[in-house]
Amino acid sequence: PTHYPGVVMLEAYRHHVAERAALGIPPLPLSAQQTADVIELLKNPPQGEAEFLLDLLTHRVPAGVDDAAKVKASYLAAIALGWRWSFVIIAALGFLWLGAWLLVMRDTPSAHPRVDEAERRYIAESRARHVPLESGREGGMVKALLRPSTFAVAAGLFAANYVIYFFLSWLPSYFVSAQHFSFAAMSLITSLPWLGGALGYAVGGLVSDALLKWTGNGLIARKAVAMGGLGVAAAAVLMVPLVHGQGSAVALVTLAITFLMASPQANWALTQELVEPEKVGAVSGFAHFLSNFSGMIAPAVTGFAIEYGGGYTASFVLTGLVGVVGVLAMLVLVPNSPPASAALPIRPVASGGD
């Protein structure tokens, strides 16, 4: 077996620890070869041994200029270099994306060279016909910020962000500690749900626009996707503790993140269906201000739930319930507008654009 030499070393060291404990003396530190064996095992730990191996590397390698310390230092230096380079690569990709964005995007549709006159008229007529549901309500900006619908949008975003931060913070640990994936396998498996999330993000917008064309009701189109995506994600999260196989757990987590990522941008668009154009920025900013507290709360609450509430089962149940609360807030507090009084104009066939 792949782990056989390292496993023999672990058993021998455990026996050594027991013998020394019987004599009332601490165990000897790891030798250079034992440290190397521990490092190799950490790359693909035997089931249930990950925490013990980390403890050995942390506390049983002598400090100073010992050969074992050199082996450990070389390993940690390699990890640190890889960690730093990952940030460099991500930053470089960010600058590439910024360049593409500046090249393609414009402040207004009329400023884009690929938007012809017919399309500009279509956009202007569509905007003229669009009347947000809460337009004309009495009161200034403060009253707009304190509307129930504003808090409902914030609750939906808070719930979606809570689930996102839960997975960002604890998914790798869950796959290793609870599902017993090796570190190498975990690094690949963890990417699958987020690939699904990228798909859900794009498809969610397409579904919302399709609902708008079908119903003529922008509020229902955005609300349905915001609630539906978060609702399916919450249900999948609640189901994770009920399954036992690795494949089932990965499938449910992937399903959760795929649908989850369809919700936030629909919530963002929901604000524009509710609020007067001159207040959209302030209301959206306020809702996001409230929702982003989940980034501080979710990782800490999850840690307490795992430590004191019964392990990962409690954390998944709690996270799923947060998602359910977000769905209920949008269902109850975001009103449904009547169908649009005037249908959107039929888009003319562009003669020079696409």
Side-chain angles (χ1 to χ4, degrees):
T2 304
H3 297 304
Y4 183 75
V7 170
V8 171
M9 184 277 295
L10 284 182
E11 293 304 320
Y13 194 78
R14 280 195 173 100
H15 182 69
H16 165 75
V17 170
E19 286 184 337
R20 303 274 289 192
L23 297 174
I25 54 178
L28 294 173
L30 295 175
S31 66
Q33 182 58 52
Q34 288 172 324
T35 303
D37 289 340
V38 167
I39 289 170
E40 285 302 313
L41 287 173
L42 275 171
K43 296 176 182 178
N44 188 17
Q47 183 171 332
E49 297 285 12
E51 291 185 10
F52 179 58
L53 289 167
L54 285 173
D55 181 74
L56 289 180
L57 188 65
T58 303
H59 299 111
R60 300 295 176 87
V61 178
V65 294
D66 188 270
D67 287 342
K70 293 179 182 178
V71 173
K72 176 181 176 179
S74 298
Y75 173 64
L76 295 179
I79 292 177
L81 180 62
W83 173 78
R84 289 186 176 91
W85 272 105
S86 66
F87 276 83
V88 172
I89 292 170
I90 292 171
L93 291 174
F95 281 116
L96 288 174
W97 176 259
L98 175 62
W101 179 272
L102 294 174
L103 182 66
V104 174
M105 299 304 297
R106 299 294 186 272
D107 291 337
T108 63
S110 60
H112 201 287
R114 298 184 66 185
V115 176
D116 62 10
E117 183 59 32
E119 189 170 5
R120 282 195 287 270
R121 285 198 305 270
Y122 171 78
I123 294 170
E125 292 171 8
S126 299
R127 287 178 171 176
R129 291 167 180 260
H130 175 67
V131 180
L133 181 65
E134 297 181 342
S135 292
R137 288 197 175 186
E138 294 183 0
M141 187 66 72
V142 173
K143 285 192 174 181
L145 296 178
L146 299 179
R147 290 171 186 169
S149 60
T150 301
F151 287 102
V153 170
L157 285 169
F158 180 95
N161 287 343
Y162 188 101
V163 181
I164 290 172
Y165 282 110
F166 164 72
F167 281 128
L168 284 174
S169 302
W170 288 96
L171 186 58
S173 175
Y174 167 73
F175 279 155
V176 171
S177 300
Q179 292 299 330
H180 307 298
F181 283 104
S182 68
F183 282 100
M186 178 273 292
S187 64
L188 296 175
I189 294 296
T190 304
S191 66
L192 294 178
W194 297 108
L195 289 174
L199 177 65
Y201 203 91
V203 173
L206 295 174
V207 171
S208 182
D209 284 349
L211 286 174
L212 172 60
K213 293 178 181 178
W214 181 47
T215 64
N217 189 321
L219 186 58
I220 288 179
R222 311 312 182 196
K223 182 177 175 180
V225 173
M227 291 174 50
L230 182 58
V232 173
V237 169
L238 288 170
M239 291 174 63
V240 170
L242 303 179
V243 301
H244 302 288
Q246 290 180 332
S248 300
V250 173
L252 282 173
V253 170
T254 302
L255 178 68
I257 294 179
T258 299
F259 277 85
L260 174 67
M261 297 308 292
S263 182
Q265 78 271 22
N267 239 318
W268 178 272
L270 190 58
T271 306
Q272 301 178 55
E273 299 293 339
L274 289 167
V275 182
E276 304 93 318
E278 65 273 15
K279 297 176 182 176
V280 165
V283 171
S284 297
F286 183 62
H288 280 73
F289 166 74
L290 296 177
S291 68
N292 280 319
F293 280 101
S294 60
M296 295 181 284
I297 295 171
V301 170
T302 300
F304 278 104
I306 293 171
E307 184 70 21
Y308 304 110
Y312 284 98
T313 296
S315 68
F316 274 97
V317 170
L318 177 60
T319 301
L321 291 178
V322 170
V324 172
V325 171
V327 172
L328 292 177
M330 289 187 285
L331 176 65
V332 174
L333 297 177
V334 176
N336 293 318
S337 70
S341 56
L344 293 176
I346 298 175
R347 180 177 173 178
V349 178
S351 57
D354 55 342

